Amino acid sequence: TPPPRPPRRPCSRHPRSHQLSHGVQLRRQFPRTADVTVYSRRSRLHNRVPPREYSPDPVADGGCRTLGESTDGRPLTLGFDIPLFTVGAPSPFLVQQALADLEAGLPVVAVSPHRSVLDRIARQAAGIPVHWLDPQNTRRSAHLAFVSAEEWETEDVGTVVKAMQTFLDDLGLDLALPVVGAFCECLFRTMASSARQTGQDLAFTDLHAVSRSTQALRAFLMEVHSISSPDAQDLLAQLDDEEGYVQAVTILSAIRTALAPLEAGPLQALCQPPFLDVGQLLSERGLLLVPMTDTDFPRHDRLLSAMLDLTLNRVLASRPH
């Protein structure tokens, strides 16, 4: 029997530079492919002839992006309602696309290891609110929370608990294990319910604080227990059980390890109020720039990435527009 075929990479279906030559028509999937367009510096899209039946997207509801011009003078465009995924594009193209989205009234979140690209976008985004999420410059950086106090009016506990579960899963905590999953769900629901009832922020540092030890968790649960939380009662009962206590110590240690970059330094500062209203940013023409450049401490970038993913996914889930 022949050996199994290796899985196809996500972009393997797109033509590569050695598959295209000057004057050869692009496949039908270019410039659109399953609602995603890929611009590649290597494929030299601007030097290709699109299919004869190709016509630029009409300027409809949200208008369209201009990706370039074909060799026969036709503009290559893509509607703003279709996601744009860029691979290996030169920095001028990336800056141009970000500014074009802003001009069209859309919010932009740009994540890049190249600060020069982000700086160029910021300089040219005249008259547009610009926010940075930058641990290396905490003075100008925005701050993120699981949920800020103001957001509890539109957030429910169940959505926040799922977001917190995804967050720790992204950081490597195995929530698929029944014991770990049940403990974390109970803890997250206790924290979210308490913050909502008291109208307080739920910060990333709050989770790190309760994970420091069983004594820290017990002190928090005793405080929450006074407002009649059944989840707090269940966790207190687990801490009083010998086997449950050992499980709690192990799980808290895993959470504390995942959140270790919050113990001190820049990332801790990014988790303090006042917090950025990301929902407002995404509903207006705003710009959020996120440099991922911490090559010395990749765990810091991983944590920052997980924080940003959680925040954006939670907001987008409650605000489909």
Side-chain angles (χ1 to χ4, degrees):
T1 55
R5 296 179 63 184
R8 299 181 67 185
R9 299 178 63 183
C11 293
S12 63
R13 63 181 182 277
H14 300 299
R16 298 179 184 275
S17 57
H18 65 271
Q19 295 174 303
L20 296 175
S21 60
H22 182 71
V24 175
Q25 288 192 349
L26 298 175
R27 301 180 189 179
R28 291 175 181 271
Q29 63 197 19
F30 262 80
R32 287 160 78 154
T33 302
D35 291 341
V36 177
T37 289
V38 175
Y39 171 93
S40 173
R41 177 174 51 189
R42 295 186 178 90
S43 68
R44 299 186 180 279
L45 181 61
H46 292 199
N47 293 331
R48 303 300 166 197
V49 179
R52 292 177 182 176
E53 64 273 19
Y54 171 75
S55 59
D57 285 343
V59 180
D61 300 334
C64 60
R65 299 178 175 95
T66 299
L67 301 181
E69 190 174 273
S70 67
T71 53
D72 58 359
R74 282 184 289 173
L76 298 173
T77 63
L78 181 72
F80 281 114
D81 58 331
I82 298 174
L84 177 67
F85 177 55
T86 65
V87 178
S91 58
F93 178 83
L94 297 175
V95 173
Q96 169 193 325
Q97 293 307 310
L99 295 174
D101 279 16
L102 291 169
E103 259 184 63
L106 300 174
V108 171
V109 179
V111 182
S112 175
H114 304 294
R115 287 179 176 271
S116 59
V117 173
L118 300 180
D119 284 329
R120 287 176 61 184
I121 296 174
R123 285 197 303 269
Q124 297 182 47
I128 295 171
V130 178
H131 301 277
W132 288 81
L133 186 60
D134 186 0
Q136 296 185 28
N137 190 339
T138 54
R139 284 193 172 186
R140 73 175 178 184
S141 180
H143 298 181
L144 294 181
F146 277 125
V147 185
S148 64
E150 296 75 19
E151 291 179 297
W152 283 120
E153 295 181 5
T154 56
E155 291 292 345
D156 62 87
V157 170
T159 301
V160 175
V161 169
K162 289 180 180 177
M164 295 174 76
Q165 290 170 324
T166 302
F167 170 70
L168 279 186
D169 186 64
D170 288 345
L171 291 176
L173 201 68
D174 192 357
L175 297 181
L177 294 174
V179 173
V180 179
F183 180 90
C184 289
E185 182 179 359
C186 202
L187 175 61
F188 299 161
R189 194 163 47 240
T190 302
M191 297 182 69
S193 300
S194 173
R196 185 176 187 183
Q197 289 182 38
T198 57
Q200 296 179 347
D201 301 315
L202 178 56
F204 293 96
T205 48
D206 293 334
L207 179 57
H208 182 261
V210 300
S211 70
R212 287 178 179 172
S213 64
T214 54
Q215 291 82 359
L217 175 60
R218 185 182 293 276
F220 166 72
L221 295 174
M222 291 300 294
E223 182 180 349
V224 175
H225 179 63
S226 63
I227 57 175
S228 303
S229 168
D231 293 303
Q233 296 173 17
D234 291 343
L235 289 173
L236 284 170
Q238 181 171 345
L239 291 178
D240 291 334
D241 176 74
E242 184 176 349
E243 182 179 353
Y245 178 84
V246 174
Q247 292 173 349
V249 169
T250 304
I251 297 170
L252 291 176
S253 176
I255 295 175
R256 186 168 62 255
T257 300
L259 300 180
L262 294 181
E263 291 178 355
L267 281 176
Q268 186 182 69
L270 265 56
C271 298
Q272 305 296 329
F275 296 113
L276 174 65
D277 189 340
V278 182
Q280 182 179 359
L281 172 71
L282 294 183
S283 62
E284 299 175 352
R285 187 176 61 159
L287 174 63
L288 179 61
L289 302 172
V290 188
M292 292 282 185
T293 57
D294 202 337
T295 53
D296 293 331
F297 300 97
R299 287 181 60 201
H300 291 196
D301 273 352
R302 185 181 182 185
L303 178 57
L304 183 64
S305 176
M307 291 164 57
L308 180 63
D309 283 351
L310 177 146
T311 304
L312 294 178
N313 288 328
R314 181 176 57 79
V315 171
L316 291 173
S318 59
R319 297 170 178 83
H321 65 284

